Amino acid sequence: LPWKRAYALAAAGKADGAASWAPTDERQKVFVFSESVIQVRKVFFHRVESPIQWQTVDDLRPYRIGVTDGYTYGEEFDRQWRLGQLKTDIASSDRQNMFKLLLGRVDAFPLEVDVGLYMLRSSLPREKAERISYHPKAVMVTPIAVGFSRKLPDNRGALLAAALNKGLRKLHDSGTYDKYRLEMLR
């Protein structure tokens, strides 16, 4: 499902939960979150021939920025995005944003660096992937967790989060978590 639809279904209690969300204050009102599954760093991907230069979110105003519906990109970016102070183009997936970037429809788009590099390696021919790079400055660094709906009966969301947390601790303690993470990045 697209991220926004998965979020809506889980928020309404029509699904137990939704994976891979930053536990923002707003989202914590709707979900009971697990412990962090992973820490992610979102950076701006851009075409090699058109690098972006930025230090603050204000510096992004001249650029056409692709954003993925339902995502957060940090407090200041999200605030300026909501106020219309940034030129944004909304897509329903990161894949759509990657193709918009290749076609020159957007100048950059923020994406988790590991996800972006994996997407370039696995989804694009090498000659196209080599046309994309990223700016090293992070727009957002955040933990990512699984959110369980607060609308589930019998405190089910909290019970599911506790069970997941127990499993995560076992994976960390055994070294399996680190092994899988390293394999994923290859």
Side-chain angles (χ1 to χ4, degrees), residues 14-27:
K14 294 180 181 177
D16 286 339
S20 300
W21 290 96
T24 62
D25 290 343
E26 180 181 321
R27 291 177 182 161

Side-chain angles (χ1 to χ4, degrees), residues 91-108:
S92 63
S93 71
D94 294 329
R95 184 177 183 84
Q96 286 180 342
N97 271 323
M98 187 65 77
F99 285 107
K100 286 181 182 182
L101 183 62
L102 280 166
L103 294 170
R105 293 183 183 158
V106 297
D107 299 314

Side-chain angles (χ1 to χ4, degrees), residues 19-20 45 60 63 72 75 84 86 89 99 111 138 145 156 170:
S20 300
F45 281 79
L60 299 170
Y63 301 106
T72 181
E75 191 175 310
L86 298 172
D89 187 338
F99 285 107
L111 181 62
R156 181 170 165 78
K170 283 182 181 179

